[in-house]
PDB file of all heavy atoms in Angstrom:
ATOM      1  N   MET V1317       5.333 -23.726  33.972  1.00 40.00           N
ATOM      2  CA  MET V1317       3.996 -24.037  33.476  1.00 40.00           C
ATOM      3  C   MET V1317       4.080 -24.688  32.107  1.00 40.00           C
ATOM      4  O   MET V1317       5.007 -25.395  31.809  1.00 40.00           O
ATOM      5  CB  MET V1317       3.149 -22.757  33.401  1.00 40.00           C
ATOM      6  CG  MET V1317       2.965 -22.047  34.716  1.00 40.00           C
ATOM      7  SD  MET V1317       1.587 -22.670  35.694  1.00 40.00           S
ATOM      8  CE  MET V1317       2.427 -23.519  37.020  1.00 40.00           C
ATOM      9  N   GLY V1318       3.173 -24.381  31.238  1.00 40.00           N
ATOM     10  CA  GLY V1318       3.092 -25.081  29.965  1.00 40.00           C
ATOM     11  C   GLY V1318       4.328 -24.920  29.101  1.00 40.00           C
ATOM     12  O   GLY V1318       5.132 -24.024  29.300  1.00 40.00           O
ATOM     13  N   GLY V1320       4.511 -23.982  26.221  1.00 40.00           N
ATOM     14  CA  GLY V1320       4.433 -22.820  25.365  1.00 40.00           C
ATOM     15  C   GLY V1320       4.739 -23.081  23.907  1.00 40.00           C
ATOM     16  O   GLY V1320       3.938 -23.663  23.196  1.00 40.00           O
ATOM     17  N   ARG V1456      -4.905 -32.799  15.684  1.00 82.00           N
ATOM     18  CA  ARG V1456      -6.286 -32.690  16.175  1.00 82.00           C
ATOM     19  C   ARG V1456      -7.297 -32.961  15.064  1.00 82.00           C
ATOM     20  O   ARG V1456      -8.377 -33.489  15.316  1.00 82.00           O
ATOM     21  CB  ARG V1456      -6.525 -31.325  16.808  1.00 82.00           C
ATOM     22  CG  ARG V1456      -6.264 -30.179  15.911  1.00 82.00           C
ATOM     23  CD  ARG V1456      -6.011 -28.930  16.738  1.00 82.00           C
ATOM     24  NE  ARG V1456      -5.375 -27.903  15.960  1.00 82.00           N
ATOM     25  CZ  ARG V1456      -6.031 -26.996  15.256  1.00 82.00           C
ATOM     26  NH1 ARG V1456      -7.332 -26.995  15.256  1.00 82.00           N
ATOM     27  NH2 ARG V1456      -5.381 -26.096  14.572  1.00 82.00           N
ATOM     28  N   ARG V1480      -2.880 -33.309  23.430  1.00 83.00           N
ATOM     29  CA  ARG V1480      -2.943 -32.038  24.139  1.00 83.00           C
ATOM     30  C   ARG V1480      -1.818 -31.917  25.168  1.00 83.00           C
ATOM     31  O   ARG V1480      -1.240 -30.860  25.359  1.00 83.00           O
ATOM     32  CB  ARG V1480      -4.322 -31.898  24.815  1.00 83.00           C
ATOM     33  CG  ARG V1480      -4.460 -30.752  25.804  1.00 83.00           C
ATOM     34  CD  ARG V1480      -4.274 -29.391  25.158  1.00 83.00           C
ATOM     35  NE  ARG V1480      -4.361 -28.316  26.135  1.00 83.00           N
ATOM     36  CZ  ARG V1480      -3.334 -27.852  26.815  1.00 83.00           C
ATOM     37  NH1 ARG V1480      -2.135 -28.339  26.627  1.00 83.00           N
ATOM     38  NH2 ARG V1480      -3.500 -26.880  27.689  1.00 83.00           N
ATOM     39  N   TYR V1481      -1.519 -33.009  25.876  1.00 88.00           N
ATOM     40  CA  TYR V1481      -0.616 -32.878  27.013  1.00 88.00           C
ATOM     41  C   TYR V1481       0.806 -33.366  26.753  1.00 88.00           C
ATOM     42  O   TYR V1481       1.661 -33.247  27.627  1.00 88.00           O
ATOM     43  CB  TYR V1481      -1.209 -33.559  28.250  1.00 88.00           C
ATOM     44  CG  TYR V1481      -2.341 -32.730  28.801  1.00 88.00           C
ATOM     45  CD1 TYR V1481      -3.665 -33.066  28.582  1.00 88.00           C
ATOM     46  CD2 TYR V1481      -2.079 -31.551  29.478  1.00 88.00           C
ATOM     47  CE1 TYR V1481      -4.696 -32.276  29.029  1.00 88.00           C
ATOM     48  CE2 TYR V1481      -3.088 -30.740  29.927  1.00 88.00           C
ATOM     49  CZ  TYR V1481      -4.401 -31.114  29.703  1.00 88.00           C
ATOM     50  OH  TYR V1481      -5.407 -30.305  30.137  1.00 88.00           O
ATOM     51  N   ASP V1483       3.120 -32.040  24.972  1.00 80.00           N
ATOM     52  CA  ASP V1483       4.032 -30.921  25.142  1.00 80.00           C
ATOM     53  C   ASP V1483       4.183 -30.526  26.599  1.00 80.00           C
ATOM     54  O   ASP V1483       5.259 -30.177  27.059  1.00 80.00           O
ATOM     55  CB  ASP V1483       3.536 -29.711  24.341  1.00 80.00           C
ATOM     56  CG  ASP V1483       3.752 -29.911  22.847  1.00 80.00           C
ATOM     57  OD1 ASP V1483       4.647 -30.698  22.501  1.00 80.00           O
ATOM     58  OD2 ASP V1483       3.035 -29.292  22.058  1.00 80.00           O
ATOM     59  N   ARG V1526      -1.883 -34.146  37.537  1.00 89.00           N
ATOM     60  CA  ARG V1526      -2.428 -33.255  36.510  1.00 89.00           C
ATOM     61  C   ARG V1526      -3.730 -33.848  35.972  1.00 89.00           C
ATOM     62  O   ARG V1526      -4.716 -33.140  35.799  1.00 89.00           O
ATOM     63  CB  ARG V1526      -1.416 -33.045  35.383  1.00 89.00           C
ATOM     64  CG  ARG V1526      -2.077 -32.498  34.173  1.00 89.00           C
ATOM     65  CD  ARG V1526      -1.414 -31.419  33.377  1.00 89.00           C
ATOM     66  NE  ARG V1526      -0.201 -30.853  33.809  1.00 89.00           N
ATOM     67  CZ  ARG V1526      -0.071 -29.562  34.059  1.00 89.00           C
ATOM     68  NH1 ARG V1526      -1.113 -28.757  33.967  1.00 89.00           N
ATOM     69  NH2 ARG V1526       1.085 -29.082  34.397  1.00 89.00           N
ATOM     70  N   ARG V1529      -6.492 -33.073  38.226  1.00 92.00           N
ATOM     71  CA  ARG V1529      -6.928 -31.671  38.177  1.00 92.00           C
ATOM     72  C   ARG V1529      -7.726 -31.401  36.899  1.00 92.00           C
ATOM     73  O   ARG V1529      -8.730 -30.683  36.918  1.00 92.00           O
ATOM     74  CB  ARG V1529      -5.714 -30.737  38.261  1.00 92.00           C
ATOM     75  CG  ARG V1529      -5.044 -30.747  39.622  1.00 92.00           C
ATOM     76  CD  ARG V1529      -4.165 -29.516  39.819  1.00 92.00           C
ATOM     77  NE  ARG V1529      -3.229 -29.327  38.727  1.00 92.00           N
ATOM     78  CZ  ARG V1529      -2.009 -29.854  38.679  1.00 92.00           C
ATOM     79  NH1 ARG V1529      -1.587 -30.608  39.677  1.00 92.00           N
ATOM     80  NH2 ARG V1529      -1.224 -29.624  37.668  1.00 92.00           N
ATOM     81  N   LEU V1532     -11.186 -32.657  37.383  1.00 91.00           N
ATOM     82  CA  LEU V1532     -11.972 -31.712  38.178  1.00 91.00           C
ATOM     83  C   LEU V1532     -12.480 -30.575  37.303  1.00 91.00           C
ATOM     84  O   LEU V1532     -13.651 -30.194  37.369  1.00 91.00           O
ATOM     85  CB  LEU V1532     -11.110 -31.100  39.289  1.00 91.00           C
ATOM     86  CG  LEU V1532     -10.834 -31.927  40.523  1.00 91.00           C
ATOM     87  CD1 LEU V1532     -10.166 -31.058  41.572  1.00 91.00           C
ATOM     88  CD2 LEU V1532     -12.146 -32.472  41.056  1.00 91.00           C
ATOM     89  N   MET V1534     -12.973 -30.606  34.182  1.00 92.00           N
ATOM     90  CA  MET V1534     -14.002 -31.089  33.255  1.00 92.00           C
ATOM     91  C   MET V1534     -15.336 -31.238  33.968  1.00 92.00           C
ATOM     92  O   MET V1534     -16.378 -30.804  33.465  1.00 92.00           O
ATOM     93  CB  MET V1534     -13.569 -32.424  32.647  1.00 92.00           C
ATOM     94  CG  MET V1534     -12.329 -32.318  31.784  1.00 92.00           C
ATOM     95  SD  MET V1534     -11.743 -33.907  31.193  1.00 92.00           S
ATOM     96  CE  MET V1534     -12.965 -34.245  29.933  1.00 92.00           C
ATOM     97  N   LEU V1535     -15.304 -31.853  35.158  1.00 92.00           N
ATOM     98  CA  LEU V1535     -16.544 -32.007  35.928  1.00 92.00           C
ATOM     99  C   LEU V1535     -17.174 -30.652  36.199  1.00 92.00           C
ATOM    100  O   LEU V1535     -18.391 -30.486  36.132  1.00 92.00           O
ATOM    101  CB  LEU V1535     -16.254 -32.703  37.255  1.00 92.00           C
ATOM    102  CG  LEU V1535     -15.891 -34.180  37.189  1.00 92.00           C
ATOM    103  CD1 LEU V1535     -15.620 -34.701  38.588  1.00 92.00           C
ATOM    104  CD2 LEU V1535     -17.018 -34.971  36.541  1.00 92.00           C
ATOM    105  N   SER V1536     -16.335 -29.670  36.493  1.00 92.00           N
ATOM    106  CA  SER V1536     -16.844 -28.344  36.832  1.00 92.00           C
ATOM    107  C   SER V1536     -17.587 -27.702  35.674  1.00 92.00           C
ATOM    108  O   SER V1536     -18.331 -26.758  35.861  1.00 92.00           O
ATOM    109  CB  SER V1536     -15.704 -27.424  37.250  1.00 92.00           C
ATOM    110  OG  SER V1536     -15.099 -27.912  38.413  1.00 92.00           O
ATOM    111  N   ARG V1537     -17.328 -28.187  34.477  1.00 92.00           N
ATOM    112  CA  ARG V1537     -18.067 -27.623  33.351  1.00 92.00           C
ATOM    113  C   ARG V1537     -19.079 -28.630  32.812  1.00 92.00           C
ATOM    114  O   ARG V1537     -19.395 -28.654  31.630  1.00 92.00           O
ATOM    115  CB  ARG V1537     -17.095 -27.176  32.269  1.00 92.00           C
ATOM    116  CG  ARG V1537     -16.401 -25.887  32.688  1.00 92.00           C
ATOM    117  CD  ARG V1537     -15.730 -25.216  31.527  1.00 92.00           C
ATOM    118  NE  ARG V1537     -14.399 -25.732  31.307  1.00 92.00           N
ATOM    119  CZ  ARG V1537     -13.828 -25.805  30.105  1.00 92.00           C
ATOM    120  NH1 ARG V1537     -14.483 -25.409  29.048  1.00 92.00           N
ATOM    121  NH2 ARG V1537     -12.614 -26.262  29.986  1.00 92.00           N
ATOM    122  N   GLY V1538     -19.558 -29.484  33.712  1.00 90.00           N
ATOM    123  CA  GLY V1538     -20.701 -30.315  33.359  1.00 90.00           C
ATOM    124  C   GLY V1538     -20.368 -31.560  32.564  1.00 90.00           C
ATOM    125  O   GLY V1538     -21.241 -32.130  31.913  1.00 90.00           O
ATOM    126  N   PHE V1539     -19.116 -32.052  32.622  1.00 90.00           N
ATOM    127  CA  PHE V1539     -18.735 -33.256  31.902  1.00 90.00           C
ATOM    128  C   PHE V1539     -19.470 -34.459  32.478  1.00 90.00           C
ATOM    129  O   PHE V1539     -19.555 -34.620  33.690  1.00 90.00           O
ATOM    130  CB  PHE V1539     -17.229 -33.459  32.029  1.00 90.00           C
ATOM    131  CG  PHE V1539     -16.709 -34.670  31.310  1.00 90.00           C
ATOM    132  CD1 PHE V1539     -16.799 -34.769  29.933  1.00 90.00           C
ATOM    133  CD2 PHE V1539     -16.110 -35.703  32.016  1.00 90.00           C
ATOM    134  CE1 PHE V1539     -16.299 -35.867  29.265  1.00 90.00           C
ATOM    135  CE2 PHE V1539     -15.599 -36.811  31.360  1.00 90.00           C
ATOM    136  CZ  PHE V1539     -15.696 -36.896  29.984  1.00 90.00           C
ATOM    137  N   PRO V1544     -18.491 -33.805  24.164  1.00 79.00           N
ATOM    138  CA  PRO V1544     -19.440 -33.250  23.216  1.00 79.00           C
ATOM    139  C   PRO V1544     -18.714 -32.863  21.930  1.00 79.00           C
ATOM    140  O   PRO V1544     -17.587 -32.382  21.976  1.00 79.00           O
ATOM    141  CB  PRO V1544     -19.951 -32.007  23.927  1.00 79.00           C
ATOM    142  CG  PRO V1544     -18.851 -31.613  24.839  1.00 79.00           C
ATOM    143  CD  PRO V1544     -18.101 -32.858  25.200  1.00 79.00           C
ATOM    144  N   GLY V1546     -19.042 -30.970  17.965  1.00 74.00           N
ATOM    145  CA  GLY V1546     -19.821 -30.046  17.164  1.00 74.00           C
ATOM    146  C   GLY V1546     -20.506 -30.801  16.039  1.00 74.00           C
ATOM    147  O   GLY V1546     -20.409 -32.013  15.947  1.00 74.00           O
ATOM    148  N   PRO V1547     -21.201 -30.068  15.190  1.00 76.00           N
ATOM    149  CA  PRO V1547     -21.867 -30.708  14.067  1.00 76.00           C
ATOM    150  C   PRO V1547     -20.806 -31.220  13.099  1.00 76.00           C
ATOM    151  O   PRO V1547     -19.789 -30.572  12.900  1.00 76.00           O
ATOM    152  CB  PRO V1547     -22.648 -29.559  13.437  1.00 76.00           C
ATOM    153  CG  PRO V1547     -21.891 -28.329  13.835  1.00 76.00           C
ATOM    154  CD  PRO V1547     -21.264 -28.619  15.154  1.00 76.00           C
TER     155      PRO V1547
ATOM    156  N   ASN M1260     -19.318 -25.804  43.687  1.00 92.00           N
ATOM    157  CA  ASN M1260     -20.046 -26.488  42.610  1.00 92.00           C
ATOM    158  C   ASN M1260     -20.153 -27.982  42.875  1.00 92.00           C
ATOM    159  O   ASN M1260     -20.346 -28.770  41.963  1.00 92.00           O
ATOM    160  CB  ASN M1260     -19.419 -26.198  41.245  1.00 92.00           C
ATOM    161  CG  ASN M1260     -18.095 -26.897  41.054  1.00 92.00           C
ATOM    162  OD1 ASN M1260     -17.554 -27.469  41.998  1.00 92.00           O
ATOM    163  ND2 ASN M1260     -17.576 -26.862  39.852  1.00 92.00           N
ATOM    164  N   ILE M1262     -18.002 -30.293  43.780  1.00 91.00           N
ATOM    165  CA  ILE M1262     -16.926 -31.259  43.526  1.00 91.00           C
ATOM    166  C   ILE M1262     -16.601 -31.951  44.850  1.00 91.00           C
ATOM    167  O   ILE M1262     -16.425 -33.163  44.912  1.00 91.00           O
ATOM    168  CB  ILE M1262     -15.666 -30.544  42.983  1.00 91.00           C
ATOM    169  CG1 ILE M1262     -15.941 -29.943  41.620  1.00 91.00           C
ATOM    170  CG2 ILE M1262     -14.485 -31.496  42.958  1.00 91.00           C
ATOM    171  CD1 ILE M1262     -15.800 -30.889  40.467  1.00 91.00           C
ATOM    172  N   GLN M1283     -25.771 -30.773  37.784  1.00 90.00           N
ATOM    173  CA  GLN M1283     -25.564 -30.251  36.443  1.00 90.00           C
ATOM    174  C   GLN M1283     -25.932 -28.761  36.382  1.00 90.00           C
ATOM    175  O   GLN M1283     -25.200 -27.958  35.821  1.00 90.00           O
ATOM    176  CB  GLN M1283     -26.380 -31.091  35.451  1.00 90.00           C
ATOM    177  CG  GLN M1283     -25.788 -31.230  34.072  1.00 90.00           C
ATOM    178  CD  GLN M1283     -24.376 -31.829  34.023  1.00 90.00           C
ATOM    179  OE1 GLN M1283     -23.805 -32.240  35.023  1.00 90.00           O
ATOM    180  NE2 GLN M1283     -23.792 -31.814  32.845  1.00 90.00           N
ATOM    181  N   ARG M1286     -23.428 -26.631  38.303  1.00 93.00           N
ATOM    182  CA  ARG M1286     -22.169 -26.426  37.579  1.00 93.00           C
ATOM    183  C   ARG M1286     -22.324 -25.441  36.434  1.00 93.00           C
ATOM    184  O   ARG M1286     -21.352 -24.860  35.978  1.00 93.00           O
ATOM    185  CB  ARG M1286     -21.609 -27.774  37.112  1.00 93.00           C
ATOM    186  CG  ARG M1286     -21.060 -28.514  38.302  1.00 93.00           C
ATOM    187  CD  ARG M1286     -20.589 -29.888  38.086  1.00 93.00           C
ATOM    188  NE  ARG M1286     -20.225 -30.426  39.401  1.00 93.00           N
ATOM    189  CZ  ARG M1286     -19.896 -31.681  39.632  1.00 93.00           C
ATOM    190  NH1 ARG M1286     -19.887 -32.552  38.644  1.00 93.00           N
ATOM    191  NH2 ARG M1286     -19.591 -32.070  40.848  1.00 93.00           N
ATOM    192  N   ASP M1295      -4.192 -23.282  37.179  1.00 91.00           N
ATOM    193  CA  ASP M1295      -3.300 -23.559  36.056  1.00 91.00           C
ATOM    194  C   ASP M1295      -4.125 -23.714  34.780  1.00 91.00           C
ATOM    195  O   ASP M1295      -4.892 -24.659  34.637  1.00 91.00           O
ATOM    196  CB  ASP M1295      -2.521 -24.855  36.340  1.00 91.00           C
ATOM    197  CG  ASP M1295      -1.492 -25.137  35.254  1.00 91.00           C
ATOM    198  OD1 ASP M1295      -1.550 -24.488  34.189  1.00 91.00           O
ATOM    199  OD2 ASP M1295      -0.645 -26.012  35.469  1.00 91.00           O
ATOM    200  N   ASP M1297      -3.443 -24.802  32.044  1.00 91.00           N
ATOM    201  CA  ASP M1297      -3.226 -26.075  31.354  1.00 91.00           C
ATOM    202  C   ASP M1297      -4.157 -27.162  31.880  1.00 91.00           C
ATOM    203  O   ASP M1297      -4.398 -28.159  31.205  1.00 91.00           O
ATOM    204  CB  ASP M1297      -1.774 -26.529  31.502  1.00 91.00           C
ATOM    205  CG  ASP M1297      -0.898 -25.916  30.421  1.00 91.00           C
ATOM    206  OD1 ASP M1297      -1.430 -25.660  29.324  1.00 91.00           O
ATOM    207  OD2 ASP M1297       0.286 -25.690  30.676  1.00 91.00           O
ATOM    208  N   ASP M1298      -4.660 -26.994  33.100  1.00 91.00           N
ATOM    209  CA  ASP M1298      -5.637 -27.946  33.620  1.00 91.00           C
ATOM    210  C   ASP M1298      -7.019 -27.657  33.055  1.00 91.00           C
ATOM    211  O   ASP M1298      -7.852 -28.540  32.904  1.00 91.00           O
ATOM    212  CB  ASP M1298      -5.721 -27.871  35.145  1.00 91.00           C
ATOM    213  CG  ASP M1298      -4.416 -28.265  35.792  1.00 91.00           C
ATOM    214  OD1 ASP M1298      -3.596 -28.903  35.119  1.00 91.00           O
ATOM    215  OD2 ASP M1298      -4.219 -27.929  36.971  1.00 91.00           O
ATOM    216  N   GLN M1299      -7.251 -26.380  32.777  1.00 91.00           N
ATOM    217  CA  GLN M1299      -8.586 -25.959  32.366  1.00 91.00           C
ATOM    218  C   GLN M1299      -8.805 -26.160  30.870  1.00 91.00           C
ATOM    219  O   GLN M1299      -9.914 -26.422  30.435  1.00 91.00           O
ATOM    220  CB  GLN M1299      -8.753 -24.467  32.700  1.00 91.00           C
ATOM    221  CG  GLN M1299     -10.111 -23.918  32.385  1.00 91.00           C
ATOM    222  CD  GLN M1299     -10.918 -23.681  33.644  1.00 91.00           C
ATOM    223  OE1 GLN M1299     -10.373 -23.642  34.730  1.00 91.00           O
ATOM    224  NE2 GLN M1299     -12.206 -23.526  33.503  1.00 91.00           N
ATOM    225  N   LEU M1300      -7.731 -26.017  30.100  1.00 93.00           N
ATOM    226  CA  LEU M1300      -7.870 -26.077  28.645  1.00 93.00           C
ATOM    227  C   LEU M1300      -7.394 -27.422  28.145  1.00 93.00           C
ATOM    228  O   LEU M1300      -6.209 -27.645  27.964  1.00 93.00           O
ATOM    229  CB  LEU M1300      -7.042 -24.958  27.994  1.00 93.00           C
ATOM    230  CG  LEU M1300      -7.333 -23.563  28.531  1.00 93.00           C
ATOM    231  CD1 LEU M1300      -6.409 -22.540  27.904  1.00 93.00           C
ATOM    232  CD2 LEU M1300      -8.779 -23.183  28.273  1.00 93.00           C
ATOM    233  N   PHE M1301      -8.336 -28.340  27.931  1.00 90.00           N
ATOM    234  CA  PHE M1301      -7.934 -29.703  27.584  1.00 90.00           C
ATOM    235  C   PHE M1301      -8.373 -30.100  26.189  1.00 90.00           C
ATOM    236  O   PHE M1301      -7.999 -31.148  25.701  1.00 90.00           O
ATOM    237  CB  PHE M1301      -8.487 -30.695  28.605  1.00 90.00           C
ATOM    238  CG  PHE M1301      -9.901 -30.397  28.989  1.00 90.00           C
ATOM    239  CD1 PHE M1301     -10.930 -30.755  28.148  1.00 90.00           C
ATOM    240  CD2 PHE M1301     -10.189 -29.711  30.153  1.00 90.00           C
ATOM    241  CE1 PHE M1301     -12.234 -30.442  28.467  1.00 90.00           C
ATOM    242  CE2 PHE M1301     -11.497 -29.396  30.481  1.00 90.00           C
ATOM    243  CZ  PHE M1301     -12.513 -29.770  29.640  1.00 90.00           C
ATOM    244  N   THR M1304      -8.717 -27.406  20.454  1.00 89.00           N
ATOM    245  CA  THR M1304      -8.631 -26.000  20.066  1.00 89.00           C
ATOM    246  C   THR M1304      -9.350 -25.131  21.091  1.00 89.00           C
ATOM    247  O   THR M1304     -10.207 -25.599  21.839  1.00 89.00           O
ATOM    248  CB  THR M1304      -9.281 -25.710  18.697  1.00 89.00           C
ATOM    249  OG1 THR M1304     -10.683 -25.970  18.811  1.00 89.00           O
ATOM    250  CG2 THR M1304      -8.706 -26.569  17.597  1.00 89.00           C
ATOM    251  N   ASP M1308     -12.771 -25.774  23.254  1.00 93.00           N
ATOM    252  CA  ASP M1308     -12.721 -25.745  24.709  1.00 93.00           C
ATOM    253  C   ASP M1308     -13.796 -24.815  25.266  1.00 93.00           C
ATOM    254  O   ASP M1308     -14.477 -25.135  26.230  1.00 93.00           O
ATOM    255  CB  ASP M1308     -11.329 -25.308  25.170  1.00 93.00           C
ATOM    256  CG  ASP M1308     -10.946 -25.993  26.452  1.00 93.00           C
ATOM    257  OD1 ASP M1308     -11.705 -25.850  27.439  1.00 93.00           O
ATOM    258  OD2 ASP M1308      -9.932 -26.691  26.473  1.00 93.00           O
ATOM    259  N   ARG M1314     -21.938 -27.157  25.326  1.00 92.00           N
ATOM    260  CA  ARG M1314     -22.384 -28.412  24.704  1.00 92.00           C
ATOM    261  C   ARG M1314     -22.795 -29.417  25.763  1.00 92.00           C
ATOM    262  O   ARG M1314     -23.782 -30.150  25.585  1.00 92.00           O
ATOM    263  CB  ARG M1314     -21.283 -28.988  23.818  1.00 92.00           C
ATOM    264  CG  ARG M1314     -21.195 -28.273  22.485  1.00 92.00           C
ATOM    265  CD  ARG M1314     -20.251 -28.976  21.531  1.00 92.00           C
ATOM    266  NE  ARG M1314     -20.138 -28.200  20.301  1.00 92.00           N
ATOM    267  CZ  ARG M1314     -18.996 -27.993  19.665  1.00 92.00           C
ATOM    268  NH1 ARG M1314     -17.871 -28.504  20.128  1.00 92.00           N
ATOM    269  NH2 ARG M1314     -18.978 -27.284  18.566  1.00 92.00           N
ATOM    270  N   ASN M1315     -22.060 -29.455  26.882  1.00 91.00           N
ATOM    271  CA  ASN M1315     -22.470 -30.348  27.961  1.00 91.00           C
ATOM    272  C   ASN M1315     -23.848 -29.970  28.490  1.00 91.00           C
ATOM    273  O   ASN M1315     -24.569 -30.807  29.025  1.00 91.00           O
ATOM    274  CB  ASN M1315     -21.458 -30.304  29.108  1.00 91.00           C
ATOM    275  CG  ASN M1315     -20.234 -31.151  28.817  1.00 91.00           C
ATOM    276  OD1 ASN M1315     -20.331 -32.151  28.116  1.00 91.00           O
ATOM    277  ND2 ASN M1315     -19.101 -30.742  29.333  1.00 91.00           N
ATOM    278  N   GLU M1320     -26.542 -26.018  18.445  1.00 92.00           N
ATOM    279  CA  GLU M1320     -25.260 -25.591  17.878  1.00 92.00           C
ATOM    280  C   GLU M1320     -25.211 -24.093  17.581  1.00 92.00           C
ATOM    281  O   GLU M1320     -24.183 -23.450  17.786  1.00 92.00           O
ATOM    282  CB  GLU M1320     -25.012 -26.384  16.597  1.00 92.00           C
ATOM    283  CG  GLU M1320     -23.719 -27.157  16.481  1.00 92.00           C
ATOM    284  CD  GLU M1320     -22.743 -27.125  17.647  1.00 92.00           C
ATOM    285  OE1 GLU M1320     -22.887 -27.882  18.616  1.00 92.00           O
ATOM    286  OE2 GLU M1320     -21.792 -26.320  17.564  1.00 92.00           O
ATOM    287  N   ASP M1341      -9.433 -20.936  16.590  1.00 91.00           N
ATOM    288  CA  ASP M1341      -8.979 -22.157  15.922  1.00 91.00           C
ATOM    289  C   ASP M1341      -7.588 -22.597  16.351  1.00 91.00           C
ATOM    290  O   ASP M1341      -7.047 -23.560  15.812  1.00 91.00           O
ATOM    291  CB  ASP M1341      -9.002 -21.958  14.405  1.00 91.00           C
ATOM    292  CG  ASP M1341     -10.425 -21.888  13.887  1.00 91.00           C
ATOM    293  OD1 ASP M1341     -11.272 -22.618  14.443  1.00 91.00           O
ATOM    294  OD2 ASP M1341     -10.698 -21.090  12.976  1.00 91.00           O
ATOM    295  N   HIS M1345      -2.028 -24.880  23.565  1.00 86.00           N
ATOM    296  CA  HIS M1345      -0.627 -24.865  23.984  1.00 86.00           C
ATOM    297  C   HIS M1345       0.242 -23.986  23.098  1.00 86.00           C
ATOM    298  O   HIS M1345       1.427 -23.859  23.345  1.00 86.00           O
ATOM    299  CB  HIS M1345      -0.067 -26.286  24.099  1.00 86.00           C
ATOM    300  CG  HIS M1345      -0.220 -27.113  22.861  1.00 86.00           C
ATOM    301  ND1 HIS M1345      -1.390 -27.782  22.569  1.00 86.00           N
ATOM    302  CD2 HIS M1345       0.621 -27.369  21.847  1.00 86.00           C
ATOM    303  CE1 HIS M1345      -1.247 -28.419  21.422  1.00 86.00           C
ATOM    304  NE2 HIS M1345      -0.038 -28.191  20.957  1.00 86.00           N
ATOM    305  N   PHE M1349       1.092 -17.646  28.222  1.00 92.00           N
ATOM    306  CA  PHE M1349       0.444 -17.977  29.484  1.00 92.00           C
ATOM    307  C   PHE M1349      -0.723 -17.029  29.779  1.00 92.00           C
ATOM    308  O   PHE M1349      -1.807 -17.461  30.176  1.00 92.00           O
ATOM    309  CB  PHE M1349       1.473 -17.937  30.614  1.00 92.00           C
ATOM    310  CG  PHE M1349       0.965 -18.536  31.877  1.00 92.00           C
ATOM    311  CD1 PHE M1349       1.041 -19.903  32.081  1.00 92.00           C
ATOM    312  CD2 PHE M1349       0.377 -17.751  32.853  1.00 92.00           C
ATOM    313  CE1 PHE M1349       0.545 -20.470  33.231  1.00 92.00           C
ATOM    314  CE2 PHE M1349      -0.122 -18.317  34.009  1.00 92.00           C
ATOM    315  CZ  PHE M1349      -0.038 -19.675  34.201  1.00 92.00           C
ATOM    316  N   THR M1359     -13.813 -19.949  28.949  1.00 95.00           N
ATOM    317  CA  THR M1359     -14.434 -21.280  28.974  1.00 95.00           C
ATOM    318  C   THR M1359     -15.582 -21.359  29.977  1.00 95.00           C
ATOM    319  O   THR M1359     -16.458 -22.202  29.828  1.00 95.00           O
ATOM    320  CB  THR M1359     -13.428 -22.396  29.328  1.00 95.00           C
ATOM    321  OG1 THR M1359     -12.932 -22.180  30.645  1.00 95.00           O
ATOM    322  CG2 THR M1359     -12.304 -22.464  28.341  1.00 95.00           C
TER     323      THR M1359
END
Side-chain angles (χ1 to χ4, degrees):
Chain V
M1317 300 274 108
R1456 58 202 163 89
R1480 169 63 182 89
Y1481 287 102
D1483 287 336
R1526 163 139 356 239
R1529 291 199 308 271
L1532 282 189
M1534 296 175 75
L1535 289 179
S1536 297
R1537 285 196 274 149
F1539 181 64
Chain M
N1260 72 351
I1262 294 276
Q1283 212 57 4
R1286 287 174 185 172
D1295 185 347
D1297 274 330
D1298 297 342
Q1299 183 106 17
L1300 307 176
F1301 42 78
T1304 65
D1308 214 303
R1314 282 189 184 138
N1315 280 330
E1320 235 1 83
D1341 290 324
H1345 55 277
F1349 192 85
T1359 63

